[in-house]
Amino acid sequence: IKKEEVKSIIEKTDNTTYESVSKMFSKMNDAAILEYIKENKSAFINSESDLDSLINDCRDIISADDQNTVMEEYIVKALERVLR
């Protein structure tokens, strides 16, 4: 994750939240992270509008460094599929 992306995440949350989630996710592989998000989606997604907002935020974050990679796009699409 690049510093521009971290900055974008912190702007959307806060430093404490970023550090906490980053620490937790650093101990998990991608599949485990997606499963965790899926299991806990009701904590942050209550409507289709919430989901759209979250996906748009993810796209904003991966665009923060002006270099979207295929892997980043794939992860956002996978996240959207998991949460729908």
Side-chain angles (χ1 to χ4, degrees):
I1 187 165
K2 298 189 174 106
K3 69 178 182 175
E4 296 90 351
E5 294 165 336
V6 170
K7 182 180 175 187
S8 181
I9 293 168
I10 292 171
E11 288 172 357
K12 293 177 184 308
T13 60
D14 59 59
N15 194 54
T16 302
T17 301
Y18 170 76
E19 291 295 331
S20 173
V21 172
S22 179
K23 183 177 179 180
M24 179 179 62
F25 284 179
S26 71
K27 299 173 185 173
M28 305 165 97
N29 63 32
D30 290 344
I33 292 169
L34 287 172
E35 186 62 30
Y36 176 86
I37 292 169
K38 181 180 176 183
E39 290 174 357
N40 293 282
K41 73 179 185 177
S42 64
F44 50 92
I45 298 175
N46 296 305
S47 68
E48 191 69 23
S49 176
D50 290 344
L51 176 58
D52 290 343
S53 181
L54 175 67
I55 297 302
N56 287 334
D57 284 348
C58 290
R59 291 192 192 291
D60 289 346
I61 291 165
I62 67 169
S63 296
D65 66 354
D66 297 322
Q67 297 177 356
N68 293 14
T69 66
V70 171
M71 181 59 79
E72 288 172 329
E73 290 291 340
Y74 174 79
I75 290 170
V76 173
K77 286 179 184 179
L79 177 63
E80 187 172 12
R81 277 195 307 267
V82 165
L83 295 175
R84 287 215 185 266

